[in-house]
Amino acid sequence: MKTRFRKKLISAALFVALTLIATVALAADPLPSWNDGKAKQSIISFVEQVTKEGSPDFVPVAERIATFDNDGTLWGEQPMYFQLFFALDRVKALAPKHPEWKTKEPFASLLKGDVKSALKGGEAAIGQIVMATHAGMTTGEFDQIVKDWITTAKHPVTKKPYTEMVYQPMLELLDYLRANGFKTYIVSGGGVGFMRPWAEKVYGIPPEQVIGSSGKLKFDLRGGKPVLVKLPEINSIDDKAGKPINIQQHIGRRPIAAFGNSDGDLQMLQWTTAGNGARLALIVHHTDPVREYAYDRKSPVGKLDKALDAATANGWTVVDMKNDWKLIYPFEKK
Amino acid sequence: MKTRFRKKLISAALFVALTLIATVALAADPLPSWNDGKAKQSIISFVEQVTKEGSPDFVPVAERIATFDNDGTLWGEQPMYFQLFFALDRVKALAPKHPEWKTKEPFASLLKGDVKSALKGGEAAIGQIVMATHAGMTTGEFDQIVKDWITTAKHPVTKKPYTEMVYQPMLELLDYLRANGFKTYIVSGGGVGFMRPWAEKVYGIPPEQVIGSSGKLKFDLRGGKPVLVKLPEINSIDDKAGKPINIQQHIGRRPIAAFGNSDGDLQMLQWTTAGNGARLALIVHHTDPVREYAYDRKSPVGKLDKALDAATANGWTVVDMKNDWKLIYPFEKK
């Protein structure tokens, strides 16, 4: 009897020990959708370096600022920026109130479903479309319009909601950084009012940590009640040199880690890595034509040319989506 | 023996009980420098209301945003804005490099020590002084200039460093709100680059939670190293209607509590209280000519007129500094 009891005890202890080991092993991989390789290793090394107390590269929690581009870095941007799909849907919804659009470009082509012709006018055409759809209402009204759209709209190729077309490995990276005391920010060329209504739910990033392009606002009293009206005037374009500028205006601290995917992120990566101490600069390179898209130097959307050269020259981390990521989207999980 | 033991036990139990009661009583006053009265009670009632789970006015931690004006609300603003003393000191320091200032107003008068004549030019004169002293260097250089000044400069009347001329009751209020899950922000007409270098140490408010007036920035590469240069152009004036606008641009959530002391805070208080659910709007009324200053409707600095009427009309909390505050400055503590 005694021997049998001892055996039971040993097997129970073994079971507990194995469970513990398994738990620790699982906990030890904070980035399960990342294949082992240089990219994953550079992230983990950096985080260990800056969080290890007593290390020369240790960074206090308050200074662990990480900034993420959104389009092409946290979610997709092909065949065109998702916010542009939103704007096109808004043009259609608003068309009955704008009979003049039937003959006025870029609206006339858009309403005929001819996006290509509509966008022939380049940035000026896009500006007209954005102003017509992103201004003229209160911030509260716009918030509701975005919420309604984002819960119903589907991507033209995958037929998935846009909020599901976020990159699973990047979601894990956001969680991993936050678990290590980082404050995670979005610093995107996209509109701040377009991202805030869903960024907290989808990325765990609260409105006050979303920085983006913005229009001017006007304070007004309507029937004694204050409102903020969105004006058709640019306040800030949060792209290229605008990124470090807005990081300074909003955060007032230099990030120690920055993540992007295009030339629009180059100055943010330069600004981040020019600080003292350990820094992480990472570029998501879209190299997977099967599971996602493959594009870089010649792409009209998310052009990655100078920033790719800078990555080579400066030893920044370049993520090869095809080889570094086990999964692209969360819905691929079985 | 048994009786004596019982007595000892009872007295020990009593001691423990009394100690506990004393501890709880101490812990129960989170605002020890505030006299009991309507102002203190309105703060405590509000905090209890929004933090009590299950209450109809409960607010989740993420939405507990509190915004504070700085000049006249968190620190003094008499006999003139402290940042103006900084600018005047900078004019003197920069004068050797600007021989033309000897004959050019408002600099000529300033350099003769005649501040009154210098400021006769009103906002235009102040604008010239600010631009000459707050632009033309990198953000890093300006940061260091402010740090050097704030550690050495003294207030002309009290001869104390400006960072000691903060209001002890407001420091307790900041702590009390943060202990209850609030995120505390500065939303000030003062310059954001002037406040950030010391706000974390003095108020416990990190740079990313400091919103203020700002100049435009320019991204530049100097010898391959990126810098942000402060331009002599206004980016945003964070006063009056500018306050709710900047709250929206930076935070993207409506505060549930706001604190000010002048007409420059009126729109922030209106915006805050127009939201649904329990709201706290508080005005610091400078009523103490002995320990601090007494001024309101006719003061050129920190004019409190329309906002005082609005407080009466809307039932906002008005702090009577003379009667509501036991202490004004931390250095009064014995």
Side-chain angles (χ1 to χ4, degrees), chain A residues 199-220:
Chain A
E200 189 157 28
K201 198 176 162 191
V202 175
Y203 300 136
I205 297 181
E208 62 268 31
Q209 284 159 229
V210 178
I211 297 170
S213 296
S214 56
K216 288 199 188 294
L217 300 174
K218 182 173 177 266
F219 179 86
D220 210 356

Side-chain angles (χ1 to χ4, degrees), chain A residues 62 65 139 183 185 192 196 200 206-210 214-219 221 225-228 235 241-242 244-245 247-254 267-268 270-272 274-276, chain B residues 62 65 139 183 185 192 196 200 206-210 214-219 221 225-228 235 241-242 244-245 247-254 267-268 270-272 274-276:
Chain A
I65 303 287
T139 50
K183 209 171 208 176
Y185 281 83
V192 69
R196 280 175 172 160
E200 189 157 28
E208 62 268 31
Q209 284 159 229
V210 178
S214 56
K216 288 199 188 294
L217 300 174
K218 182 173 177 266
F219 179 86
L221 289 173
K225 216 179 146 76
V227 291
L228 293 170
N235 178 55
I245 287 172
I247 286 171
Q248 179 63 23
Q249 301 282 25
H250 287 251
I251 309 178
R253 293 195 216 258
R254 197 192 297 253
Q267 290 84 349
M268 174 168 77
Q270 288 174 326
W271 177 243
T272 299
N276 297 322
Chain B
I65 304 287
T139 50
K183 209 172 209 178
Y185 281 83
V192 69
R196 279 176 173 160
E200 188 157 29
E208 63 267 31
Q209 284 160 231
V210 179
S214 57
K216 288 199 189 293
L217 300 173
K218 182 174 177 265
F219 180 86
L221 289 173
K225 215 178 147 77
V227 291
L228 293 171
N235 178 54
I245 287 171
I247 287 171
Q248 179 63 24
Q249 300 283 26
H250 287 251
I251 309 177
R253 291 195 217 258
R254 196 193 298 251
Q267 289 83 350
M268 174 169 76
Q270 288 174 327
W271 177 243
T272 299
N276 297 322

Side-chain angles (χ1 to χ4, degrees), chain A residues 109-150:
Chain A
S109 294
L110 273 189
L111 293 173
K112 282 178 210 142
D114 184 359
V115 177
K116 258 195 179 169
S117 296
L119 299 186
K120 262 183 192 160
E123 281 187 19
I126 291 176
Q128 274 186 282
I129 295 166
V130 169
M131 289 309 174
T133 53
H134 287 64
M137 69 291 279
T138 69
T139 50
E141 287 162 357
F142 186 71
D143 201 70
Q144 193 56 51
I145 290 167
V146 173
K147 277 180 184 160
D148 290 345
W149 182 82
I150 203 84

Side-chain angles (χ1 to χ4, degrees), chain A residues 22-178:
Chain A
T23 310
V24 170
L26 275 176
D29 189 355
L31 302 171
S33 300
W34 292 70
N35 284 315
D36 291 326
K38 271 202 288 186
K40 180 174 182 171
Q41 197 46 54
S42 75
I43 296 168
I44 291 174
S45 301
F46 167 76
V47 170
E48 287 176 350
Q49 236 178 321
V50 298
T51 55
K52 194 183 170 187
E53 284 201 53
S55 135
D57 286 314
F58 177 76
V59 176
V61 166
E63 293 167 23
R64 293 182 199 158
I65 303 287
T67 54
F68 288 80
D69 169 58
N70 185 41
D71 298 306
T73 299
L74 293 179
W75 77 351
E77 60 181 357
Q78 297 287 0
M80 65 179 187
Y81 296 124
F82 296 174
Q83 191 174 353
L84 212 43
F85 286 115
F86 164 75
L88 302 190
D89 284 349
R90 290 303 301 157
V91 166
K92 285 177 210 158
L94 293 167
K97 285 182 189 166
H98 293 273
E100 77 278 11
W101 285 355
K102 275 182 200 157
T103 53
K104 193 184 166 192
E105 289 299 344
F107 305 101
S109 294
L110 273 189
L111 293 173
K112 282 178 210 142
D114 184 359
V115 177
K116 258 195 179 169
S117 296
L119 299 186
K120 262 183 192 160
E123 281 187 19
I126 291 176
Q128 274 186 282
I129 295 166
V130 169
M131 289 309 174
T133 53
H134 287 64
M137 69 291 279
T138 69
T139 50
E141 287 162 357
F142 186 71
D143 201 70
Q144 193 56 51
I145 290 167
V146 173
K147 277 180 184 160
D148 290 345
W149 182 82
I150 203 84
T151 49
T152 52
K154 301 272 161 65
H155 187 269
V157 178
T158 65
K159 311 294 179 198
K160 296 278 180 186
Y162 292 101
T163 48
E164 290 184 24
M165 296 191 60
V166 295
Y167 303 133
Q168 175 63 25
M170 297 304 282
L171 296 181
E172 293 167 8
L173 179 51
L174 285 168
D175 281 340
Y176 174 53
L177 291 174
R178 287 191 291 251

